[in-house]
Amino acid sequence: WGGIPTAIFTLLHWYSDANASKNAAILVVIAALAASMTLLVYLTGNLGAAIGAHWGNNIAALLLFSNTPEISGIALFRYQSLADPSWTTSSAVQLATVGVFSVLATVWLLVHPRSPLRLRGY
C-alpha cells in the first residue's frame, strides 16, 4: 500500500535540468523522505503526521535553504542551482548523504520514546 505512492512521489521530483548524479542524489533523498512519511502513516494510523512532516520539510526547504533563484531572496542559506554545471559527483553524494541523514534524524525525533517531539498515538 505504500510502495506505489512512494515511487510516484519520488519520480515527481525528477529534475530534467540536472545531470544523472544530481538526479540520483535528489531521488535518493526524496525516496528516503517518502519512505519516512509512509512509516509515519503506518505508526500513527493517519496522514496527519506525514502531512505535518512534509509541510515542515517544505518550509525548511523554502525558508532555510534555497537553490532556486526565484525564491532565494527569502532563504537564510543559498547554494548553487541544481542546473549549475559545476556540480560534481562528489557534490551529489554529499547532498544525498546530508539529505538522508536529515530525514533519518527527523524520523528519530518523531518516533524515539524519549524524544520531546515524539508523536503520540502509537
Side-chain angles (χ1 to χ4, degrees):
W1 62 267
I4 292 173
T6 298
I8 291 170
F9 182 80
T10 300
L11 292 175
L12 285 173
H13 287 84
W14 178 265
Y15 189 69
S16 61
D17 291 342
N19 67 26
S21 63
K22 287 185 277 188
N23 258 320
I26 294 165
L27 295 180
V28 164
V29 174
I30 296 299
L33 180 67
S36 70
M37 298 303 108
T38 303
L39 175 67
L40 292 177
V41 170
Y42 175 75
L43 291 175
T44 62
N46 65 59
L47 287 172
I51 291 170
H54 185 227
W55 180 82
N57 178 72
N58 286 350
I59 292 297
L62 293 172
L63 295 180
L64 295 178
F65 305 98
S66 175
N67 67 343
T68 308
E70 296 82 23
I71 61 169
S72 62
I74 64 171
L76 186 59
F77 300 103
R78 293 185 300 179
Y79 58 95
Q80 66 192 110
S81 169
L82 294 174
D84 190 333
S86 66
W87 276 79
T88 63
T89 301
S90 174
S91 301
V93 169
Q94 290 173 1
L95 173 69
T97 303
V98 169
V100 170
F101 176 78
S102 298
V103 168
L104 293 175
T106 301
V107 170
W108 183 82
L109 283 169
L110 292 175
V111 301
H112 192 272
R114 297 187 66 177
S115 172
L117 302 176
R118 179 178 172 254
L119 296 171
R120 307 290 182 224
Y122 70 93

